[in-house]
Structures are given as structure tokens and as C-alpha cells.
């Protein structure tokens, strides 16, 4: 069973409303105070408005390098979802998998952070030849923005960790790959006119629709032609349009249109090349548009770029996670995480944490106490390990 201390910490974190649109400073201050009682200093990096912060802390100062335990502090909202419990209640009750902790962020991923924090004293007193680093970020759910700042700060400070364990929910099975998530907004400026005078106009919706069609053509091409990456639920890259807005009346040729789209690229694919195809096609439409009205055209904005992740079952950190989780195999996950950012920074990385992504972002989100107990045993084993490999 999970210890009372670890469960109480998890409940405390779940009760804090850290939806991405809100500040996470209450939670960061709480963790900072918990560590300060043990004499551990925290390194904070802030967003531009100083309303959110990342926390980085080292348990075992003076050791040559360390293993990062990485988690994000923000959650998705629950507006419009049909919850049967208060999303901030942190209620423990019987669930489909036995006794479980309910609440937004319980599985994704405050319980992992809490269990890591509960072992702080054990990490401090560990005889392991490496330190343990906590890396708790903001704004993962909206684009992994906090982790990018945290990693840049580590580089500037000359901190070079040995490895990273990202505690996203994998049911404690080490995950060694996930797709990337690249989202963009396209704005189209046309020229309005009365709908009886269409030759004197540039229809922004119709021009946008041509590019939307190209995105769909690319998606069909991925499904038809891309080499499969077995192990993913969808073993090829995908592309889709998620939002489309435009027009003001039936009899007005629309001047403006906007749509948002995404690519979820395999670790073996090139998301930058995908986006360049879309931009190039849009640019090919502009000369005809600008013959009618020079001010017309397309503009693009990056919403988020979360790189894919490809680790290895042969990495020392993967073998460590397998040993601590008592899992012989590995898995791949469909969802994006901060793992690709750490890997691209030269830090060997694995994803391994309690709970299931099937509960994340859902009404009545929960994580079973059995999964939390497995994670706590994982952390205790990490504190007692003598070698990374």
C-alpha cells in the first residue's frame, strides 16, 4: 500500500487548481517549502509575467551528476465535463481498479510529483553514486513551454544530468518512444465584396479550404505511404484540422478566415518538412490572390512544437526503470511529453509513471492506489540503487 505521507502529499497537490490558464505558484511554493525544511535549495525559472515557475532542485549536492525526475504541474480544465465528484476534492474512494485517488491531475501527473517529493529525505540520505534532481515544470499541457525554459537554464548553469525519468502515466511500464505534436494557426486575408461581385473579391474561406485540403491530402499520404513504426496504436504520422473560423454573412464574400491544424509525427519523420509543405502550397496560391488585391495572402503562427521522443531499450536509464518497476518489457505511447526535449538536450530519457492516459483529461480522473504503491516502491528502489545501469 502507498504510505500515508505520500498519499497526503498527492491529495494536497490535487487540491490546488493549477489549470494551465492559472498560476502554479501555490504548488511551486508548497514544494519549495517542503524541500527547504530538509535544507534543499530550489532553483526557479519564471514565465515572462512571473505568474508561473519551474522548480529544479538537487538532492545530493556534490555528487558528480544526477537522475532527473520530471513532472509537469499544470492540468487541463474540466469545464463542461460530467464529473460525479469535485475535481479538486482529491477524494479516495472505490473505483474500477480498486481504491483510487480522484481529481484533476491525479493521474496526469501530480501523484508522480508527490511520490517523488515524499522520498526527498531518502534521496538525501542515499548512498547512490549520483544525485536525484527534481524538475517540475509549468505549461506542459499547452505546449511544453516551461520545460524549454528549465532545460535552457540548466545548460546556462552547466548542470549536466546523467538521465531523466518523465513520470507521465504509463502504468509503470517504461516507454521508449512517442510521437511529436506540432500545431499551427493559419490566417488568410482576402478581399471582401458583395456576393454578386465575386470576380472582384478574394474569398478567404475558399483559399483556406484549399490549404485545408492539402493538409488532408498529406494525412492520406502518410497513411498510404509512410513506413510503419510498429508499436504505436496508429503506426504512421497523422495530420488533422481542429478549428476553422470565417465569414460574417451569406451574401458577403469573406475577407478573413482562420484555421488550426496539427501534425503528430513519428520519431522517424520530419515535422519541419511537413510544415514547410503546407507553407509552400499556401505561397503558391498568393500570386493569383494578389492580382485581385495586393494585400491578400497567408500568415502562419506556431502554437506549439513538441518534439517526438525516441529512446532505446538498451539505454541505461531504460534498464534502470525496468528493474525498479519490475517490468521485463517496454512500451510506446501515443501522447506527447517533455521527454523529447530532454533527449534532444543530450539527456538519456525514459517515460515511466503511475496510472493510465485513458483516465487523463477525462471526467472523474483517477489513479489507483495500487499504481501509486508501485510508483512509491520504484522511488524507494531508486534511493537504494548503487548503479545507474
Amino acid at each position: 500500500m502507498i504510505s500515508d505521507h505520500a498519499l497526503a502529499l498527492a491529495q494536497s497537490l490535487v487540491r490546488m487548481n493549477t489549470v494551465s490558464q492559472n498560476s502554479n505558484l501555490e504548488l511551486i511554493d508548497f514544494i519549495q517549502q517542503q524541500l527547504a525544511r530538509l535544507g534543499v535549495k530550489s532553483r526557479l525559472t519564471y514565465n515572462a509575467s512571473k505568474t508561473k515557475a519551474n522548480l529544479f532542485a538537487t538532492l545530493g549536492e556534490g555528487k558528480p551528476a544526477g537522475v532527473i525526475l520530471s513532472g509537469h504541474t499544470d492540468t487541463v480544465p474540466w469545464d463542461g465535463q460530467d464529473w460525479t465528484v469535485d475535481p479538486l476534492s482529491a477524494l479516495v474512494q472505490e473505483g474500477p481498479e480498486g481504491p483510487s485517488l480522484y481529481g484533476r491531475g491525479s493521474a496526469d501527473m501530480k501523484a508522480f510529483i508527490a511520490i517523488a517529493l515524499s522520498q526527498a529525505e531518502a534521496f538525501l540520505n542515499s548512498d547512490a553514486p549520483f544525485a536525484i534532481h527534481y524538475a517540475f515544470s509549468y505549461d506542459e499541457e499547452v505546449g511544453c513551454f516551461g520545460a524549454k525554459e528549465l532545460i535552457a537554464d540548466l545548460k546556462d548553469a552547466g548542470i549536466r544530468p546523467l538521465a531523466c525519468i518523465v513520470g507521465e502515466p504509463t502504468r509503470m511500464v517504461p516507454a521508449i518512444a512517442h510521437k511529436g505534436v506540432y500545431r499551427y494557426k493559419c490566417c488568410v486575408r482576402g478581399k471582401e465584396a458583395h456576393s454578386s461581385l465575386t470576380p472582384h473579391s478574394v474569398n478567404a474561406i475558399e483559399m483556406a479550404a484549399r490549404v485545408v485540403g492539402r493538409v488532408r491530402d498529406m494525412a492520406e499520404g502518410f497513411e498510404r505511404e509512410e513506413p510503419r513504426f510498429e508499436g504505436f496504436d496508429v503506426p504512421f504520422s497523422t495530420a488533422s484540422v481542429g478549428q476553422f473560423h470565417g465569414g460574417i454573412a451569406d451574401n458577403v464574400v469573406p475577407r478573413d478566415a482562420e484555421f488550426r491544424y496539427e501534425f503528430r509525427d513519428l520519431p522517424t519523420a520530419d515535422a519541419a518538412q511537413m510544415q514547410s509543405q503546407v507553407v509552400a502550397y499556401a505561397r503558391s496560391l498568393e500570386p493569383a490572390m494578389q492580382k485581385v488585391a495586393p494585400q491578400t495572402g497567408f500568415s502562419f503562427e506556431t502554437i506549439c512544437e513538441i518534439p517526438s521522443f525516441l529512446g532505446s531499450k538498451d539505454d541505461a536509464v531504460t534498464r534502470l526503470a525496468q528493474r525498479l518497476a519490475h517490468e521485463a518489457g517496454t512500451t510506446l505511447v501515443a501522447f506527447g511529453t517533455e521527454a523529447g526535449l530532454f533527449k534532444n538536450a543530450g539527456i538519456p530519457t525514459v517515460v515511466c509513471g503511475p496510472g493510465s492516459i485513458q483516465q487523463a483529461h477525462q471526467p472523474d480522473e483517477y489513479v489507483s492506489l495500487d499504481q501509486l504503491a508501485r510508483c512509491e516502491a520504484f522511488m524507494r528502489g531508486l534511493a537504494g540503487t548503487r548503479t545507474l545501469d
Side-chain angles (χ1 to χ4, degrees):
M1 289 294 293
I2 185 173
S3 68
D4 291 342
H5 177 50
L7 180 58
L9 284 174
Q11 289 178 298
S12 294
L13 299 190
V14 170
R15 289 176 182 137
M16 299 177 190
N17 186 346
T18 57
V19 171
S20 300
Q21 67 189 26
N22 301 335
S23 171
N24 73 336
L25 293 183
E26 178 187 12
L27 187 149
I28 291 296
D29 289 344
F30 177 85
I31 294 174
Q32 189 174 21
Q33 291 171 19
Q34 294 286 319
L35 295 176
R37 294 191 187 104
L38 299 173
V40 176
K41 295 180 180 179
S42 299
R43 184 183 185 92
L44 303 185
T45 49
Y46 293 89
N47 66 343
S49 61
K50 296 292 184 74
T51 57
K52 301 178 182 181
N54 302 305
L55 181 146
F56 186 85
T58 298
L59 295 91
E61 288 282 0
K63 293 181 179 179
V67 175
I68 292 176
L69 297 176
S70 167
H72 64 82
T73 62
D74 62 319
T75 71
V76 297
W78 56 85
D79 302 329
Q81 292 188 332
D82 187 18
W83 286 69
T84 63
V85 300
D86 180 350
L88 299 177
S89 65
L91 183 68
V92 175
Q93 65 178 20
E94 194 67 25
E97 301 177 44
S100 301
L101 171 64
Y102 281 76
R104 177 56 85 225
S106 55
D108 185 21
M109 52 182 297
K110 290 181 175 180
F112 174 84
I113 293 174
I115 293 171
L117 184 60
S118 75
Q119 297 302 307
E121 190 167 0
F123 291 143
L124 281 173
N125 296 327
S126 171
D127 292 330
F130 51 83
I132 296 296
H133 303 298
Y134 292 154
F136 303 142
S137 64
Y138 66 82
D139 280 0
E140 186 271 352
E141 295 288 4
V142 293
C144 293
F145 299 120
K148 293 176 183 178
E149 298 298 326
L150 187 151
I151 292 169
D153 181 64
L154 297 186
K155 183 178 179 180
D156 289 344
I159 299 172
R160 298 180 176 83
L162 287 170
C164 177
I165 299 170
V166 178
E168 293 275 8
T170 65
R171 299 196 66 81
M172 298 305 299
V173 179
I176 58 172
H178 67 65
K179 293 181 179 180
V181 184
Y182 291 77
R183 294 195 179 106
Y184 305 95
K185 178 171 73 173
C186 177
C187 295
V188 187
R189 173 55 60 91
K191 183 180 184 300
E192 68 265 69
H194 191 282
S195 60
S196 65
L197 300 172
T198 55
H200 304 300
S201 68
V202 176
N203 191 313
I205 287 179
E206 292 175 357
M207 293 299 104
R210 291 187 177 185
V211 181
V212 169
R214 177 53 61 98
V215 173
R216 179 59 193 167
D217 289 344
M218 292 175 65
E220 293 176 356
F222 299 151
E223 183 172 2
R224 185 176 57 251
E225 300 169 2
E226 191 174 42
R228 287 347 192 205
F229 196 122
E230 298 303 333
F232 284 111
D233 291 342
V234 179
F236 47 85
S237 300
T238 60
S240 64
V241 176
Q243 296 186 53
F244 194 110
H245 308 280
I248 60 172
D250 293 345
N251 59 353
V252 178
V253 176
R255 185 190 68 176
D256 295 297
E258 171 192 308
F259 64 95
R260 298 188 180 206
Y261 59 100
E262 73 167 24
F263 298 110
R264 290 185 178 259
D265 62 305
L266 292 174
T268 50
D270 185 346
Q273 195 272 339
M274 295 175 186
Q275 172 62 357
S276 69
Q277 285 188 44
V278 176
V279 174
Y281 179 69
R283 297 288 176 245
S284 75
L285 301 175
E286 288 180 330
M289 298 166 65
Q290 291 168 0
K291 282 183 179 179
V292 178
Q295 72 273 21
T296 60
F298 295 84
S299 62
F300 291 86
E301 177 183 334
T302 300
I303 304 300
C304 73
E305 293 181 327
I306 303 172
S308 62
F309 163 61
L310 182 59
S312 170
K313 61 183 178 60
D314 297 322
D315 286 344
V317 68
T318 303
R319 294 196 298 270
L320 173 67
Q322 288 176 297
R323 186 169 74 247
L324 297 177
H326 302 287
E327 288 284 346
T330 60
T331 189
L332 313 182
V333 294
F335 54 92
T337 79
E338 296 169 337
L341 295 170
F342 286 104
K343 176 68 183 299
N344 289 351
I347 304 170
T349 300
V350 69
V351 182
C352 188
S356 169
I357 199 65
Q358 293 181 4
Q359 275 71 60
H361 300 194
Q362 301 299 308
D364 290 348
E365 178 181 345
Y366 73 87
V367 59
S368 73
L369 298 194
D370 178 67
Q371 281 285 300
L372 298 187
R374 286 192 62 189
C375 184
E376 188 171 31
F378 181 105
M379 297 291 181
R380 287 173 174 162
L382 181 60
T385 194
R386 294 294 178 269
T387 176
L388 179 60
D389 195 356

